[in-house]
Amino acid sequence: MAEEKGLVIVLSGFSGAGKGTIMKHLLNKYPGKYHLSISATTRDKRQGEEDGREYFFKTREEFDKMVEDDAFLEHATFNGNSYGTPKAYVQQLIDEGKDVILEIEVKGALQVKKIFPDALLLFVTPPSATELKNRLVGRGTETSEVVAQRLAISAHEAQLMPQYDYLVINDRIDDSVERVHEIIQSAHYATKYNDSTIAELQEELKAFSKGENK
């Protein structure tokens, strides 16, 4: 018994926790199963990225106009750059019965939860704070000052972790990918996502309560 609409899944986590890597492996392992929502951003395009694939790259003026037009499901500024999830795009996907995953930071995730109370929120974290620092330093892409800034942001984000539905401890990437997949698939059977199926069964079973169809 499948639900009519798809699920809104929010994947967040500390910078360096590996949420992006989990997403890439999840989409590769289960092609066509999940749909990654593409965000708009004001940050510069990195080498190898394409507009409309990783992000919709916007100027500050273009982004601010979208905010003014209420075109975002959520939007936030992080490390000086703004990010936003196009509202119409997500709604279209779930109306088509597709599971759509939003890879966004904590503030944006909680904004989504206000609009979609049934959204499934998953938080990705390394096994320890020490491991988080090691991963950030090991990337070799940020200065020590930026690493310290990211760790300070993580300390704040950690206080909001209890507002998420599930914790995904990313130790081994293969295990983490499968764990995320299992959580999402199990959620499909939650009663809150199956109102129409429950209502249909309740209506059909009324006949038995009246002694009919013996």
Side-chain angles (χ1 to χ4, degrees):
M1 297 179 184
E3 60 295 310
E4 297 176 358
K5 289 191 175 184
L7 303 182
V8 174
I9 302 115
V10 177
L11 190 70
S12 301
F14 304 128
S15 177
K19 55 186 180 298
T21 303
I22 289 176
M23 278 301 312
K24 290 179 181 178
H25 282 257
L26 184 69
L27 295 174
N28 288 335
K29 186 173 183 179
Y30 299 100
K33 191 76 173 177
Y34 303 110
H35 299 265
L36 179 62
S37 176
I38 301 174
S39 298
T41 183
T42 59
R43 81 158 170 78
D44 293 334
K45 188 188 303 181
R46 295 172 181 167
Q47 185 176 1
E49 293 183 331
E50 293 182 12
D51 184 53
R53 187 179 68 185
E54 283 80 14
Y55 289 97
F56 296 114
F57 293 97
K58 303 292 182 181
T59 64
R60 169 55 62 187
E61 291 73 19
E62 290 172 334
F63 193 94
D64 290 345
K65 183 61 167 60
M66 293 181 73
V67 172
E68 182 181 338
D69 293 340
D70 194 28
F72 289 129
L73 177 60
E74 56 80 30
H75 63 89
T77 298
F78 187 70
N79 284 342
N81 297 307
S82 295
Y83 300 81
T85 302
K87 188 185 300 182
Y89 177 67
V90 173
Q91 188 64 57
Q92 179 183 345
L93 287 175
I94 62 173
D95 285 346
E96 293 173 355
K98 298 174 181 176
D99 290 343
V100 56
I101 303 179
L102 283 62
E103 184 190 335
I104 54 180
E105 49 78 49
V106 175
K107 184 178 179 181
L110 299 182
Q111 289 179 17
V112 171
K113 191 71 171 179
K114 291 179 180 179
I115 300 174
F116 290 103
D118 288 339
L120 184 65
L121 270 56
L122 283 65
F123 195 95
V124 179
T125 176
S128 67
T130 299
E131 176 62 18
L132 177 62
K133 181 179 180 180
N134 290 340
R135 291 183 187 182
L136 286 171
V137 173
R139 292 196 303 195
T141 57
E142 288 103 359
T143 63
S144 58
E145 290 78 10
V146 172
V147 169
Q149 182 184 28
R150 292 189 183 279
L151 289 172
I153 292 172
S154 295
H156 172 70
E157 291 175 333
Q159 302 306 309
L160 301 174
M161 290 168 67
Q163 297 190 44
Y164 280 69
D165 299 302
Y166 289 91
L167 191 65
V168 179
I169 299 177
N170 185 21
D171 192 1
R172 296 182 66 254
I173 187 63
D174 291 341
D175 292 343
S176 299
V177 169
E178 196 57 29
R179 192 171 301 120
V180 169
H181 173 68
E182 290 174 354
I183 289 172
I184 296 172
Q185 293 310 304
S186 295
H188 274 278
Y189 295 95
T191 54
K192 65 179 180 180
Y193 297 128
N194 289 276
D195 290 342
S196 60
T197 298
I198 292 172
E200 182 180 346
L201 281 169
Q202 289 173 333
E203 185 62 29
E204 291 176 353
L205 288 167
K206 284 181 180 179
F208 293 101
S209 67
K210 297 175 182 179
E212 300 175 11
N213 297 320
K214 291 183 178 179

